[in-house]
Amino acid sequence: MEVLREWRHGVVYPHWAASENYGAGEPRFVFYPPLSWVLGALLSLFMPWIRVPLVFTMVALAAMGLSFFKMAREWMPEESAALAACLYVVNPYVLFVAYERAAYGELLAGAWMPLLVLCALRAKPAMLGLAVVVAGLWLTNAPAAVMGCYALAVIVAVAVVRERRWSLIGRAAGGATLGLGLAGFYLVPAVYEQRWVEIHRAIGEGMRVEDSFLFGHTGEAFHDQVLRTASWIAVVVLTATVVAAVLSYRARKRGPFWGALVALAAVSAGLLLPFSDVVWRDAPEMRFLQFPWRWLLVLSMVLAGLVGLALKGAGTQRANLLRVTAVVVVAACVSGVAWVYFWQPCDDEDNVRAQVARFRDGGFQGTDEYTAAAADNDAIQQDLPRIRLLRAADGDEGNGAAGANPEWQGGGADLPSSDVQIGRWDVERMSATVRSGAGFAVLRVMDYPAWRVTVNGAPVDSRPRRDDGLMVVPVAAGVSQIDVRYGATPDVWAGRILSLAAAILWLGLAARQRRSSYHETNAS
């Protein structure tokens, strides 16, 4: 809904989510990867909002199935690949994400994971494809991207050790580096601007890795309930993975795909248990996954791949029919159980219609980790006017000193005989004309370094700070023209330049690869 509104205001790539903090906003789109919210906004152009979650989930599941099928065909017959792809789509963890968690970014990221394995291990050159996959992961869901990068390292290491395919190291390093460059327009600001927000609150109590190892207990009822469900899902998926690994080993012996999947299963399983705490603490960015059981997304892909290998090989028509029937029965049973145990009816205030109404009327509570540094988003009041004029503190009359601390929450005095005329109030651009005595204009906008503020054309770079983080603009007696615009900071430009350079390099390498393939074809 935020993205659609910003598109209508002419903002192609949003940064600011205005409905958060009850209309004061937060820089959510700086940190949340764009592909999922772009897809949701696009869907809303063609259907009512109440249909968007359903269609989004269907699109994500279809993409997961198709990408897995494309990967699996590299190492197994089409029939086996199709059956395994169906199991990937309806495995318990994916249905848990879809039905209970509604983690749309993570669900969509499941479509990239099989392509990561395909591009990492296939015999044909695939560095450019791998770069697109790595970029796609980072632009879809950051936790899944962290898992994907570590998974890439594991499967490449196994393939190199087992097959002495040293070229895979260069492919992985080149593809990952180029992919990070392609996603630079998002990654560079997301990393750099963490210093401007309370990002550490994303891993506070209850959201820490050590709080969510299998069958852990924190005393917080809802957290423990979700953890218990995820733990039992892990038991089921791990048990099925072990059985599938044994059956696939006996059927096809060991191979590059099998070995990589088994290694990935072992790593994923280990990370679910408390003894891996040292890895979670010290490995870069791992703690921001928050929940170890997120690795079940990777493990679910491994399970489906091993099942496909166990089914590999042509059989009699009756045997094939039995395999298809067995997979369909399993899929139906898993889906039915998931619908019963995972599906939750929305509370009245959480259903789609209520969300749309709140978006239009008053907005939502802010997100802790996206709150501007040193601000308390819990102190922001609801139903605030867009601009309120407050009298300057004693001794500050006429100068709007940056050290002043206008107290709105404490009942600060309004400026007498003041007048505010709003000229424009878009998400990332506002303007107003103020007629008043000397004092402060307090805007219903969370202050943030990316805001560019001018008063009568003069920049206001040093602004007073409030406990609630709202923007405070000093005004002199008389008429003041206030203009506020969200601007591209140096880190944003650095990210754009990096992505542009990576895209040019990618296109150049693709053209070179095509010419080389053309000459080889003609020579043969």
Side-chain angles (χ1 to χ4, degrees), residues 47 144 368:
M47 63 192 70
D368 289 341

Side-chain angles (χ1 to χ4, degrees), residues 277-290:
D277 186 54
V278 62
V279 177
W280 287 100
R281 286 200 314 266
D282 298 335
E285 304 304 320
M286 281 283 281
R287 66 187 186 280
F288 284 105
L289 264 67
Q290 301 171 315

Side-chain angles (χ1 to χ4, degrees), residues 178-522:
L178 189 54
L180 291 171
L182 291 171
F185 69 93
Y186 155 71
L187 277 174
V188 173
V191 172
Y192 183 84
E193 295 186 23
Q194 288 181 15
R195 68 197 69 192
W196 296 343
V197 296
E198 302 283 329
I199 198 68
H200 62 276
R201 295 170 72 178
I203 48 176
E205 187 175 354
M207 306 293 282
R208 301 170 300 183
V209 168
E210 58 265 33
D211 297 327
S212 296
F213 288 117
L214 295 190
F215 295 104
H217 181 75
T218 66
E220 201 284 308
F222 179 74
H223 173 276
D224 291 347
Q225 175 193 346
V226 174
L227 177 56
R228 185 165 53 252
T229 302
S231 298
W232 281 113
I233 291 173
V235 170
V236 172
V237 173
L238 283 169
T239 302
T241 300
V242 171
V243 173
V246 172
L247 294 177
S248 59
Y249 174 76
R250 291 175 177 174
R252 299 300 302 170
K253 303 300 182 182
R254 285 180 285 184
F257 185 55
W258 186 92
L261 292 182
V262 169
L264 201 52
V267 170
S268 301
L271 290 171
L272 299 175
L273 302 173
F275 71 80
S276 65
D277 186 54
V278 62
V279 177
W280 287 100
R281 286 200 314 266
D282 298 335
E285 304 304 320
M286 281 283 281
R287 66 187 186 280
F288 284 105
L289 264 67
Q290 301 171 315
F291 313 117
W293 42 261
R294 286 186 193 266
W295 277 92
L296 289 174
L297 179 65
V298 176
L299 195 60
S300 297
M301 176 191 66
V302 171
L303 170 59
L306 292 174
V307 169
L309 290 177
L311 297 174
K312 185 176 178 182
T316 65
Q317 184 175 0
R318 181 182 178 184
N320 288 334
L321 180 60
L322 288 174
R323 290 192 303 175
V324 172
T325 302
V327 171
V328 170
V329 170
V330 169
C333 290
V334 171
S335 300
V337 170
W339 188 86
V340 171
Y341 286 100
F342 298 158
W343 182 80
Q344 302 178 53
C346 281
D347 296 331
D348 290 341
E349 66 270 17
D350 289 333
N351 63 43
V352 176
R353 290 187 177 89
Q355 294 285 316
V356 173
R358 289 176 62 191
F359 176 79
R360 292 172 177 169
D361 294 340
F364 306 89
Q365 184 177 2
T367 310
D368 289 341
E369 58 265 33
Y370 302 149
T371 301
D376 181 9
N377 60 340
D378 290 333
I380 296 176
Q381 301 177 17
Q382 300 185 40
D383 302 319
L384 295 175
R386 289 174 173 175
I387 297 178
R388 187 176 180 183
L389 296 174
L390 298 182
R391 183 181 302 164
D394 293 340
D396 292 325
E397 292 289 345
N399 58 25
N405 182 28
E407 294 290 346
W408 188 348
Q409 297 103 310
D414 290 325
L415 276 172
S417 303
S418 59
D419 178 57
V420 177
Q421 294 182 352
I422 304 294
R424 176 175 184 173
W425 201 270
D426 294 342
V427 176
E428 297 190 5
R429 188 174 181 182
M430 307 93 173
S431 64
T433 302
V434 172
R435 293 176 176 85
S436 68
F440 297 96
V442 181
L443 281 65
R444 191 184 64 194
V445 176
M446 183 73 74
D447 209 346
Y448 192 70
W451 289 116
R452 301 292 179 256
V453 182
T454 63
V455 176
N456 296 329
V460 182
D461 297 325
S462 180
R463 299 186 288 273
R465 296 195 60 85
R466 290 166 51 91
D467 291 341
D468 60 10
L470 294 179
M471 183 182 294
V472 180
V473 180
V475 293
V479 179
S480 299
Q481 176 64 38
I482 301 174
D483 290 288
V484 180
R485 181 194 298 264
Y486 194 98
T489 49
D491 56 283
V492 172
W493 282 111
R496 292 172 179 175
I497 292 171
L498 177 60
S499 289
L500 179 61
I504 293 173
L505 178 59
W506 191 95
L507 291 172
L509 292 174
R512 179 181 177 184
Q513 182 174 303
R514 175 172 291 187
R515 286 196 303 268
S516 176
S517 177
Y518 175 78
H519 291 317
E520 289 177 3
T521 302
N522 288 342

Side-chain angles (χ1 to χ4, degrees), residues 94-102 335 338-339 342-344:
V94 169
L95 296 178
F96 173 66
V97 172
Y99 275 103
E100 181 159 333
R101 296 183 60 222
S335 300
W339 188 86
F342 298 158
W343 182 80
Q344 302 178 53

Side-chain angles (χ1 to χ4, degrees), residues 69 78-88 307 311 320 323-324 327-328:
F69 180 67
E78 285 194 359
E79 296 83 356
S80 299
L83 293 174
C86 291
L87 288 179
Y88 179 49
V307 169
L311 297 174
N320 288 334
R323 290 192 303 175
V324 172
V327 171
V328 170

